[in-house]
Amino acid sequence: MSANIGNEMYGWMRDLFPLNRSITGHGTRQTLAYIKELLPEMQIHEVPSGTQAFDWTVPDEWNVKEAWIRHESGKVIADFKENNLHLMGYSEPFEGQLDLEELQEHLYSLPDQSSAIPYITSYYKRRWGFCITEQERKILKHGKYDVLVNSTLAPGHLTYGELLLPGKSHDEILLSTYVCHPSMANNELSGPVVTAALLRWLKQLDHHFTYRAVFIPETIGSLVYLSKHLDHLKKHIKAGFVITCVGDDNNYSLLKSRYGNTLADRAAEHLLRHKHSDFKTYSFLKRGSDERQYCSSGIDLPVCSLMRTKYGEYPEYHTSLDNLQFVSPKGLRGAYEAMHDVLTILEGNHTYRSSVLGEPQLGKRGLYPTLSTKESGKYSRTMLNTIAFADGQTSLLEIADHIGECCLDLIPIAEQLCKCGLFDKVNEERLVPCQ
Amino acid sequence: MSANIGNEMYGWMRDLFPLNRSITGHGTRQTLAYIKELLPEMQIHEVPSGTQAFDWTVPDEWNVKEAWIRHESGKVIADFKENNLHLMGYSEPFEGQLDLEELQEHLYSLPDQSSAIPYITSYYKRRWGFCITEQERKILKHGKYDVLVNSTLAPGHLTYGELLLPGKSHDEILLSTYVCHPSMANNELSGPVVTAALLRWLKQLDHHFTYRAVFIPETIGSLVYLSKHLDHLKKHIKAGFVITCVGDDNNYSLLKSRYGNTLADRAAEHLLRHKHSDFKTYSFLKRGSDERQYCSSGIDLPVCSLMRTKYGEYPEYHTSLDNLQFVSPKGLRGAYEAMHDVLTILEGNHTYRSSVLGEPQLGKRGLYPTLSTKESGKYSRTMLNTIAFADGQTSLLEIADHIGECCLDLIPIAEQLCKCGLFDKVNEERLVPCQ
Amino acid sequence: MSANIGNEMYGWMRDLFPLNRSITGHGTRQTLAYIKELLPEMQIHEVPSGTQAFDWTVPDEWNVKEAWIRHESGKVIADFKENNLHLMGYSEPFEGQLDLEELQEHLYSLPDQSSAIPYITSYYKRRWGFCITEQERKILKHGKYDVLVNSTLAPGHLTYGELLLPGKSHDEILLSTYVCHPSMANNELSGPVVTAALLRWLKQLDHHFTYRAVFIPETIGSLVYLSKHLDHLKKHIKAGFVITCVGDDNNYSLLKSRYGNTLADRAAEHLLRHKHSDFKTYSFLKRGSDERQYCSSGIDLPVCSLMRTKYGEYPEYHTSLDNLQFVSPKGLRGAYEAMHDVLTILEGNHTYRSSVLGEPQLGKRGLYPTLSTKESGKYSRTMLNTIAFADGQTSLLEIADHIGECCLDLIPIAEQLCKCGLFDKVNEERLVPCQ
């Protein structure tokens, strides 16, 4: 992989940072247009307001031209132009003059994080509001305030991107990330940029699985996508990952699927255990992103989420402090490599059967020392163990778990044994010679 | 529940304490007559001596008019009138004069508990004997002793009570308690009085299960009852409890069924873990009451025993020290409430299925905040978790175990979701709308 | 068992120690001839060189007349006559004069164990070599060395012994031990002598299982045997043991089968847990003897290995220090007794069903006290627990594990219950009265 991949992802993120993304609207469209330049095969879909998705309805589209609060002294308190977090997401249009007491009811700040602008939305109930730092709020002067929210909330569309990379198999791996938060870095842009980088790698790979990637607004976007494709997804998705919070430098986290035992969980946990052993595991009870939908009962997709620091577990989360300083090229690159490894495991996780009964004579193939000494039993242990458990029913990942080795180390061994004719690959219930 | 329930049960116990209960006889009949006043629906059954019950036979009926030992000096050593424990249970008639050495062979005392009269019986081998304190035994004088055991051992009946409270379902819950020990409190009367109080509560409840309660002599009584009703019980009993040792103030104990995994075990252990966490668990290897029969192989009823201090685990057990001072209204009330909670869990332990795919939009039903802030994910967690696992196959108790919440807290949530139309109840393999 | 059995086995071992065993050749033939005197029923088989056994081929037969290295000064450096370990196993013929530098390439020694002659072989690649102590190697003088390896490597036979002791059942227990190492005691001769002693005991026993014992060269011998009898073995072998390293005085070790859960594993682990609780368990990943073949996938025999100190886990292993001092009559006897106990468990591990519903009335059969006291519940616990779990589906060994008792204690109880008519034996799916 390119040594520069971290800087490249960080550059995309810097470009995308200022856009005013939401669950609908032009900011999300501009974000998807940028990603489409990186991945021209991506399709962009528009779903009209009012469309039903299970228990939910696509809301009106929201766009903002201008929004500010100005004290009668002329001082501007909060300006959308300066930081789009100042305006509560989905604020309805408003123009008027309020005194401080009236204004307070529309202001949001964080008493415990006095320098942070909070991120607040009200998608399904019409309101308007502004978010400011607690520091600014404390020094607000009495008097009259002019308020302008020049927004539109009107029938329009929800927009999302979808990319399919057909593989040798109809079995699919789902990569899902979201494009609905305004200027935040870890809990927003890290997801799309790492996903885009992974897809650019996959495009050049001769891959087994078909990859399905979606760049969607959280919750309503995954519900819309599921409601359109449920039968297909239930049939084909063998593993999936919600990619979010993958930009900081801290240890890895794994948010597991509902019962925590899908192929996606097992591959991700295996990689982390062997390569990044101080990771944290969170059960499904700690979920918070689109696995809420993918893993809900009746949908039951095998989806988990491999993150660096999990949303909700770092104080900068959902504030203006989740910015370009909170993430780094190194952090992005680490997460990219971890997901790269997980997908490599899934790609190599075939089921093999030893083609000979008893142990094969590795010595005559140059795979074992011909001289038997006190020590010779220690050589080729991993190869012999891989062979011992290759019964045509146990996948390479299961064997790796059983013998306590990293599956990434077993994949080249299995391929070598295939080349020697000692392994047959079991493919969809049929036994296939490897060559 | 009545605040006074503890005192009420204690009062019944005080009334019943003096009666000379055994596995047959008038003391047991009088006990059942008293309980029938509390529960007029109870049926009293009489089973003739000689009746076969699997490997056992109902023995002759035993009744006592008078029994004492008197030293030639005129001093009475042990008198049945004073404490019915003085006479070994099922003592055969005897009248005669013995010197001290001969008498010693018929005396029982406890060297390690010198102030306690032991409780001894010999149901299936004819003997006579007296039980005295070790203190008294040590000062017995030489000389002649007149002994009278004015008892009858003759064909008669074994007597037991049975109460059926039909519910909406033919599925049954069994409550089994025993009425065969003379004047002892925890390991005898606590069981019948707590069971009676539970049944008086159940009578007023609109309950799902049919409740079957038996007040029986231990071992031979349960064998008789099982041999008469085995097919019905095997078909209908979904959970059962042996109710004994439920009167002292100490921590709760759970004696588990043979493999420890029946619905009864799971409900009782769940309640204790969530509400009385310093309980003790005993495996079936520590059994000692009628679960010996209910859980024997070939019978296999799902029966466990929720106690306060388990029989055999307190020194007063099977002695005159297991008296009205050893138990308390508070102790009885605690056990009543624990069993009340266990039955409440079983009554509410339905299987539900979410009626929508994906997460329901709780906000539009007033069940979730409409304003999304850093904190909003924390609200409604228990409700969302209950929904997430409601797949139409997992019972509420299983969901509670999985999400680490007390099932008593999930029952009202499930009922609220039913009312909203978000949950359907799965009833005997059919899906039933809740309303 | 004979009090002298340890000395007897040690004597056999002393007789066999000097022979030059290998995977083929006269030393192995002489060893088998000696064992046949102990067990005249044993059959000796000869398999020609070139015979295919799965992925392997029986090699040429190797025999040695003479082999030595002599310095020009006349000093003999290594002489096969003195210790057959001096000659590398399967050394090809050689005669010539070399200077020290050339000779070094054919010498093997152990820098970390300077007084030990290592054991080295090269079965499948033609070489010659000598093994000496590091001490001797360090003081080798410059100059010319005469070398003679008067060996033959020519088409011949692989030789092994096979003994079948037919039992009441066609189900078989396999005992496998090897006869292919020259003068080494624990990791060679302890196996055949303990196996021979066990078979002499079994011959006198009225046993249930058919016993199949093989005395084979390691690896190639088990592969040959498996390739000839695979279908029969897969059908009939219910448990098997590789018997090796059973002569030292240290704690027991258990090398488990591939998944560690066969009947052989369970019986051996049960015995060790109850009688020799400071044993070590090794997973199949630590395998090193013929379980490598027996448990390979597609062969899947239920075979484990109960040892004292495992091969590879003691420094004397595969050196001249694994000699008659490293083992002892007491060590051999302990291993014999442990295997004797394991086979006793397997012989007694029947499945029983209680012939009465509910608990049987043990009192009327003299199996329970007729007087009920505070203590009487403690008597007959093991018998009552054995009855409670005897459901016609759970074997005695499974019951023993469940109730935490040693199966050796349950066997006589089950036999007593059979005699009383309280147990029926379940035999190959049919219920058989015991008498």
Side-chain angles (χ1 to χ4, degrees):
Chain A
M1 59 193 75
S2 155
N4 225 16
I5 188 84
N7 288 325
E8 203 174 3
M9 289 186 284
Y10 192 81
W12 302 339
M13 188 185 256
R14 204 164 35 208
D15 294 343
L16 289 165
F17 193 75
L19 298 173
N20 183 44
R21 281 163 298 274
S22 184
I23 57 173
T24 61
H26 297 319
T28 298
R29 264 186 210 100
Q30 289 155 4
T31 299
L32 291 169
Y34 184 95
I35 294 167
K36 193 171 167 64
E37 283 183 34
L38 302 174
L39 294 162
E41 305 82 347
M42 186 175 78
Q43 300 293 316
I44 294 176
H45 300 274
E46 299 269 350
V47 179
S49 299
T51 302
Q52 197 68 21
F54 303 134
D55 194 42
W56 300 64
T57 310
V58 173
D60 281 350
E61 184 175 328
W62 182 60
N63 285 296
V64 182
K65 290 211 186 68
E66 198 181 354
W68 41 255
I69 306 172
R70 193 173 54 209
H71 185 250
E72 59 188 350
S73 68
K75 190 188 170 192
V76 174
I77 302 307
D79 191 342
F80 173 78
K81 264 204 317 264
E82 269 182 31
N83 189 329
N84 53 31
L85 289 170
H86 276 312
L87 183 63
M88 183 177 80
Y90 261 67
S91 279
E92 63 184 347
F94 179 78
E95 183 163 11
Q97 198 177 55
L98 289 80
D99 60 27
L100 180 57
E101 287 62 39
E102 292 167 316
L103 179 65
Q104 288 286 15
E105 288 172 32
H106 295 271
L107 293 184
Y108 301 93
S109 62
L110 294 168
D112 293 342
Q113 284 178 282
S114 61
S115 68
I117 306 167
Y119 167 56
I120 310 280
T121 64
S122 182
Y123 298 134
Y124 298 98
K125 179 162 181 195
R126 297 229 165 175
R127 288 188 177 94
W128 63 266
F130 282 84
C131 304
I132 59 174
T133 69
E134 181 74 6
Q135 287 165 353
E136 285 221 71
R137 190 171 191 168
K138 276 192 179 146
I139 56 169
L140 286 181
K141 293 195 178 119
H142 285 274
K144 294 293 181 191
Y145 286 86
D146 287 318
V147 174
L148 176 71
V149 181
N150 185 358
S151 67
T152 56
L153 259 171
H157 292 83
L158 174 155
T159 317
Y160 69 87
E162 179 191 35
L163 174 53
L164 214 67
L165 299 178
K168 288 175 214 135
S169 165
H170 293 299
D171 292 343
E172 294 185 7
I173 288 177
L174 174 69
L175 304 178
S176 176
T177 191
Y178 47 79
V179 285
C180 59
H181 295 69
S183 297
M184 283 178 293
N186 200 36
N187 185 49
E188 171 74 10
L189 289 169
S190 69
V193 303
V194 166
T195 306
L198 287 167
L199 292 165
R200 281 156 68 102
W201 160 62
L202 287 165
K203 277 171 59 178
Q204 301 174 48
L205 198 72
D206 181 27
H207 47 85
H208 171 77
F209 285 102
T210 291
Y211 286 83
R212 178 179 294 269
V214 291
F215 297 78
I216 51 179
E218 218 177 359
T219 305
I220 185 67
S222 53
L223 289 161
V224 163
Y225 195 76
L226 285 166
S227 68
K228 288 172 75 167
H229 301 288
L230 187 57
D231 289 345
H232 179 92
L233 297 173
K234 288 186 76 141
K235 188 168 168 202
H236 292 288
I237 298 291
K238 300 306 169 198
F241 301 90
V242 173
I243 300 179
T244 176
C245 295
V246 283
D248 66 289
D249 285 355
N250 300 312
N251 290 343
Y252 293 91
S253 307
L254 177 62
L255 186 287
K256 299 184 123 193
S257 70
R258 191 153 102 253
Y259 283 104
N261 57 0
T262 70
L263 177 59
D265 295 282
R266 289 190 290 121
E269 191 160 15
H270 182 90
L271 185 274
L272 292 176
R273 208 163 51 234
H274 284 277
K275 299 282 178 200
H276 309 278
S277 58
D278 44 3
F279 70 106
K280 280 194 185 165
T281 304
Y282 296 93
S283 87
F284 192 63
L285 303 181
K286 298 292 184 183
R287 69 199 177 281
S289 185
D290 283 321
E291 67 281 349
R292 291 168 64 163
Q293 315 311 326
Y294 294 133
C295 301
S296 64
S297 73
I299 290 181
D300 303 314
L301 296 183
V303 172
C304 69
S305 186
L306 192 164
M307 294 165 276
R308 300 206 69 138
T309 307
K310 180 184 170 288
Y311 41 80
E313 300 289 324
Y314 57 99
E316 296 83 355
Y317 169 73
H318 269 200
T319 75
S320 56
L321 304 180
D322 185 351
N323 56 27
L324 291 168
Q325 280 69 56
F326 184 68
V327 297
S328 75
K330 182 164 161 263
L332 292 165
R333 183 186 164 137
Y336 168 84
E337 288 174 2
M339 276 304 303
H340 179 283
D341 283 347
V342 170
L343 298 179
T344 302
I345 287 172
L346 291 171
E347 285 286 326
N349 178 36
H350 298 293
T351 299
Y352 296 97
R353 198 173 76 177
S354 176
S355 62
V356 299
L357 286 167
E359 287 191 343
Q361 193 181 355
L362 296 179
K364 71 184 180 190
R365 297 175 178 89
L367 300 171
Y368 199 79
T370 54
L371 193 75
S372 169
T373 69
K374 227 177 141 161
E375 302 292 307
S376 55
K378 294 180 187 168
Y379 298 103
S380 309
R381 265 286 163 195
T382 303
M383 181 176 282
L384 281 168
N385 285 338
T386 304
I387 295 167
F389 288 90
D391 59 2
Q393 298 177 319
T394 310
S395 75
L396 211 55
L397 177 56
E398 291 168 313
I399 293 176
D401 276 335
H402 203 84
I403 71 176
E405 308 270 356
C406 181
C407 190
L408 291 171
D409 298 331
L410 265 52
I411 293 169
I413 289 174
E415 286 167 357
Q416 189 179 15
L417 290 167
C418 266
K419 281 198 196 110
C420 292
L422 288 174
F423 262 16
D424 290 322
K425 196 183 276 186
V426 181
N427 200 357
E428 292 165 13
E429 311 306 309
R430 284 174 311 111
L431 208 60
V432 184
C434 295
Q435 284 145 318
Chain B
M1 58 192 79
S2 155
N4 225 15
I5 189 83
N7 289 325
E8 204 172 2
M9 290 186 285
Y10 192 80
W12 303 339
M13 190 185 256
R14 205 165 34 209
D15 294 345
L16 290 166
F17 192 76
L19 299 172
N20 183 44
R21 283 163 295 276
S22 184
I23 57 173
T24 61
H26 297 320
T28 298
R29 263 185 211 102
Q30 289 154 4
T31 300
L32 291 170
Y34 184 96
I35 295 167
K36 193 172 168 62
E37 282 182 35
L38 303 173
L39 295 162
E41 304 83 347
M42 187 175 77
Q43 302 292 317
I44 293 175
H45 301 273
E46 297 270 352
V47 179
S49 299
T51 302
Q52 196 69 20
F54 304 133
D55 194 41
W56 301 63
T57 310
V58 174
D60 280 351
E61 184 175 328
W62 182 61
N63 285 295
V64 182
K65 290 212 184 67
E66 199 181 352
W68 43 255
I69 306 172
R70 193 173 52 208
H71 186 250
E72 57 188 354
S73 67
K75 191 187 170 192
V76 174
I77 302 308
D79 192 341
F80 173 78
K81 266 204 313 266
E82 271 182 29
N83 189 330
N84 53 30
L85 288 171
H86 276 313
L87 184 62
M88 184 178 77
Y90 261 67
S91 278
E92 63 184 347
F94 180 80
E95 183 164 12
Q97 199 177 52
L98 290 78
D99 58 25
L100 179 57
E101 286 62 42
E102 292 168 317
L103 180 63
Q104 288 286 16
E105 287 173 31
H106 295 272
L107 294 184
Y108 300 93
S109 62
L110 295 168
D112 293 343
Q113 284 178 283
S114 62
S115 67
I117 307 167
Y119 168 57
I120 310 280
T121 64
S122 181
Y123 298 134
Y124 298 98
K125 177 162 182 195
R126 295 229 166 175
R127 288 189 178 93
W128 64 265
F130 282 84
C131 304
I132 60 174
T133 68
E134 180 73 9
Q135 286 165 355
E136 286 222 71
R137 190 170 193 170
K138 277 193 182 145
I139 56 168
L140 286 181
K141 293 195 182 121
H142 285 275
K144 295 289 181 194
Y145 286 87
D146 288 318
V147 174
L148 177 70
V149 181
N150 184 358
S151 67
T152 56
L153 258 170
H157 292 85
L158 174 155
T159 317
Y160 70 86
E162 179 191 35
L163 176 52
L164 215 68
L165 298 178
K168 289 174 213 134
S169 165
H170 292 298
D171 290 342
E172 293 185 8
I173 289 176
L174 174 69
L175 304 179
S176 176
T177 191
Y178 48 79
V179 285
C180 60
H181 296 67
S183 295
M184 284 180 290
N186 200 36
N187 185 49
E188 170 74 9
L189 290 168
S190 69
V193 304
V194 166
T195 306
L198 287 168
L199 292 165
R200 283 155 67 101
W201 159 62
L202 286 165
K203 277 172 59 179
Q204 302 174 49
L205 198 73
D206 181 27
H207 47 85
H208 170 79
F209 284 103
T210 290
Y211 286 84
R212 177 179 296 268
V214 291
F215 297 77
I216 51 179
E218 217 178 357
T219 305
I220 185 67
S222 53
L223 289 161
V224 162
Y225 194 76
L226 285 166
S227 69
K228 289 173 74 168
H229 301 289
L230 187 58
D231 289 346
H232 180 91
L233 298 173
K234 287 186 75 141
K235 187 170 168 199
H236 292 289
I237 298 292
K238 301 304 170 201
F241 302 90
V242 173
I243 301 180
T244 177
C245 295
V246 285
D248 66 290
D249 286 356
N250 300 313
N251 290 344
Y252 292 92
S253 306
L254 178 61
L255 186 289
K256 299 185 124 193
S257 71
R258 190 151 102 254
Y259 283 105
N261 58 0
T262 71
L263 178 59
D265 296 281
R266 288 189 290 120
E269 190 159 15
H270 182 90
L271 186 272
L272 292 176
R273 207 164 50 232
H274 284 277
K275 299 282 179 202
H276 309 278
S277 58
D278 43 5
F279 70 106
K280 279 194 186 165
T281 304
Y282 296 94
S283 86
F284 191 63
L285 303 181
K286 299 290 184 185
R287 68 198 179 282
S289 186
D290 283 321
E291 67 281 350
R292 290 168 61 163
Q293 316 310 328
Y294 295 133
C295 302
S296 63
S297 74
I299 290 181
D300 303 312
L301 295 183
V303 172
C304 67
S305 186
L306 191 163
M307 293 164 277
R308 300 207 69 135
T309 307
K310 180 183 169 290
Y311 41 79
E313 301 289 324
Y314 58 100
E316 296 83 355
Y317 169 72
H318 269 201
T319 77
S320 57
L321 304 180
D322 185 351
N323 57 25
L324 291 168
Q325 280 68 57
F326 184 69
V327 297
S328 75
K330 183 165 160 261
L332 292 164
R333 183 187 163 135
Y336 168 85
E337 288 175 1
M339 276 304 303
H340 179 284
D341 282 348
V342 171
L343 299 178
T344 303
I345 287 173
L346 291 171
E347 285 286 327
N349 179 34
H350 298 292
T351 298
Y352 296 97
R353 198 174 75 176
S354 177
S355 63
V356 299
L357 285 166
E359 286 191 343
Q361 194 181 355
L362 297 179
K364 71 184 181 190
R365 296 174 178 90
L367 300 172
Y368 199 80
T370 54
L371 194 75
S372 168
T373 69
K374 224 177 145 166
E375 303 292 307
S376 53
K378 294 179 187 169
Y379 299 104
S380 307
R381 265 287 163 195
T382 303
M383 180 174 282
L384 281 168
N385 286 339
T386 305
I387 295 168
F389 287 90
D391 58 3
Q393 298 177 317
T394 310
S395 76
L396 211 55
L397 178 56
E398 291 169 314
I399 293 176
D401 276 335
H402 203 84
I403 71 176
E405 308 269 355
C406 182
C407 190
L408 291 171
D409 298 331
L410 265 50
I411 293 170
I413 289 175
E415 286 167 357
Q416 188 180 14
L417 291 167
C418 266
K419 281 199 196 106
C420 292
L422 287 175
F423 261 17
D424 290 322
K425 196 182 277 187
V426 180
N427 200 358
E428 292 164 13
E429 309 306 309
R430 285 175 310 111
L431 209 59
V432 185
C434 296
Q435 284 145 318
Chain C
M1 59 192 74
S2 156
N4 225 16
I5 188 84
N7 289 325
E8 205 173 1
M9 290 186 284
Y10 193 80
W12 302 340
M13 189 184 254
R14 205 165 32 207
D15 294 344
L16 290 165
F17 192 76
L19 298 173
N20 183 44
R21 282 164 294 275
S22 183
I23 57 174
T24 62
H26 298 318
T28 299
R29 264 186 211 100
Q30 289 153 4
T31 300
L32 291 169
Y34 184 95
I35 295 167
K36 192 171 169 62
E37 283 183 35
L38 303 173
L39 295 162
E41 304 84 348
M42 188 173 78
Q43 301 292 316
I44 294 175
H45 300 274
E46 298 270 350
V47 179
S49 299
T51 302
Q52 195 69 19
F54 303 133
D55 194 41
W56 301 63
T57 309
V58 174
D60 280 349
E61 183 176 327
W62 182 61
N63 285 295
V64 181
K65 290 210 186 70
E66 197 182 354
W68 43 255
I69 306 173
R70 192 172 54 209
H71 185 250
E72 58 188 349
S73 67
K75 189 187 169 193
V76 173
I77 302 308
D79 191 339
F80 173 77
K81 266 203 315 264
E82 269 182 31
N83 190 329
N84 53 31
L85 288 170
H86 276 314
L87 183 63
M88 184 178 78
Y90 261 67
S91 278
E92 63 184 347
F94 179 80
E95 182 166 8
Q97 198 177 55
L98 289 79
D99 59 27
L100 179 57
E101 285 61 44
E102 290 166 319
L103 180 65
Q104 288 286 14
E105 285 171 34
H106 295 272
L107 294 184
Y108 300 93
S109 62
L110 295 168
D112 293 342
Q113 284 177 284
S114 61
S115 67
I117 307 167
Y119 168 56
I120 309 280
T121 64
S122 181
Y123 299 133
Y124 298 99
K125 180 165 179 192
R126 297 228 165 174
R127 289 188 176 96
W128 64 267
F130 281 83
C131 304
I132 59 174
T133 68
E134 180 73 8
Q135 286 165 354
E136 286 221 71
R137 189 170 193 169
K138 276 190 182 148
I139 56 168
L140 287 181
K141 290 187 183 131
H142 284 275
K144 294 291 179 191
Y145 286 87
D146 286 318
V147 174
L148 176 70
V149 181
N150 184 358
S151 66
T152 56
L153 258 172
H157 291 85
L158 175 154
T159 317
Y160 68 88
E162 179 190 36
L163 174 52
L164 214 68
L165 298 177
K168 290 177 212 133
S169 166
H170 292 300
D171 291 342
E172 295 185 8
I173 289 177
L174 174 69
L175 304 179
S176 176
T177 192
Y178 48 79
V179 286
C180 59
H181 296 69
S183 297
M184 284 179 290
N186 200 37
N187 186 49
E188 170 76 7
L189 290 169
S190 68
V193 303
V194 167
T195 306
L198 287 167
L199 291 165
R200 281 156 66 102
W201 159 62
L202 286 165
K203 276 174 60 179
Q204 302 175 48
L205 197 73
D206 182 27
H207 47 85
H208 171 78
F209 285 102
T210 291
Y211 286 83
R212 177 180 296 269
V214 291
F215 298 77
I216 50 179
E218 218 178 356
T219 305
I220 184 68
S222 53
L223 288 162
V224 162
Y225 195 77
L226 285 166
S227 68
K228 287 173 75 167
H229 301 287
L230 187 59
D231 289 346
H232 180 91
L233 298 172
K234 289 187 74 141
K235 188 170 168 199
H236 292 288
I237 298 291
K238 299 307 169 198
F241 302 90
V242 173
I243 301 181
T244 177
C245 294
V246 284
D248 64 290
D249 285 356
N250 299 313
N251 290 343
Y252 293 92
S253 307
L254 178 61
L255 186 287
K256 300 184 122 193
S257 70
R258 191 153 101 251
Y259 283 105
N261 57 0
T262 71
L263 178 58
D265 295 281
R266 288 189 290 119
E269 190 160 15
H270 182 89
L271 186 274
L272 293 176
R273 208 163 51 233
H274 284 277
K275 300 282 179 202
H276 309 278
S277 59
D278 44 3
F279 69 107
K280 279 194 187 166
T281 305
Y282 296 93
S283 87
F284 191 64
L285 302 182
K286 298 290 183 183
R287 69 197 177 282
S289 185
D290 283 321
E291 67 282 348
R292 290 167 64 162
Q293 315 311 328
Y294 295 133
C295 301
S296 65
S297 73
I299 289 181
D300 304 312
L301 296 182
V303 172
C304 68
S305 186
L306 192 163
M307 293 164 277
R308 300 207 70 136
T309 307
K310 181 184 169 289
Y311 43 79
E313 300 290 323
Y314 58 100
E316 295 83 356
Y317 169 73
H318 269 199
T319 75
S320 55
L321 304 180
D322 186 351
N323 56 26
L324 290 167
Q325 280 69 55
F326 185 68
V327 297
S328 75
K330 184 165 160 262
L332 292 165
R333 184 188 163 136
Y336 169 83
E337 289 174 2
M339 275 306 302
H340 179 283
D341 283 348
V342 171
L343 299 179
T344 303
I345 287 173
L346 291 171
E347 284 286 326
N349 178 35
H350 298 293
T351 299
Y352 296 97
R353 197 174 76 177
S354 177
S355 62
V356 300
L357 285 167
E359 286 190 346
Q361 194 182 354
L362 296 180
K364 70 183 180 190
R365 297 176 177 87
L367 300 172
Y368 199 80
T370 54
L371 193 76
S372 169
T373 69
K374 225 176 143 163
E375 302 292 308
S376 54
K378 294 179 187 168
Y379 297 103
S380 307
R381 265 287 163 195
T382 303
M383 181 176 281
L384 282 167
N385 285 340
T386 304
I387 295 167
F389 288 90
D391 59 2
Q393 297 178 318
T394 311
S395 75
L396 211 55
L397 177 57
E398 290 168 315
I399 293 176
D401 276 336
H402 204 85
I403 72 177
E405 307 270 356
C406 181
C407 190
L408 292 171
D409 299 330
L410 265 51
I411 292 169
I413 290 174
E415 286 167 358
Q416 188 179 16
L417 291 167
C418 266
K419 282 199 195 107
C420 292
L422 287 174
F423 261 18
D424 291 322
K425 197 182 277 186
V426 181
N427 201 357
E428 292 165 12
E429 310 305 310
R430 285 173 310 110
L431 210 58
V432 183
C434 295
Q435 286 145 319

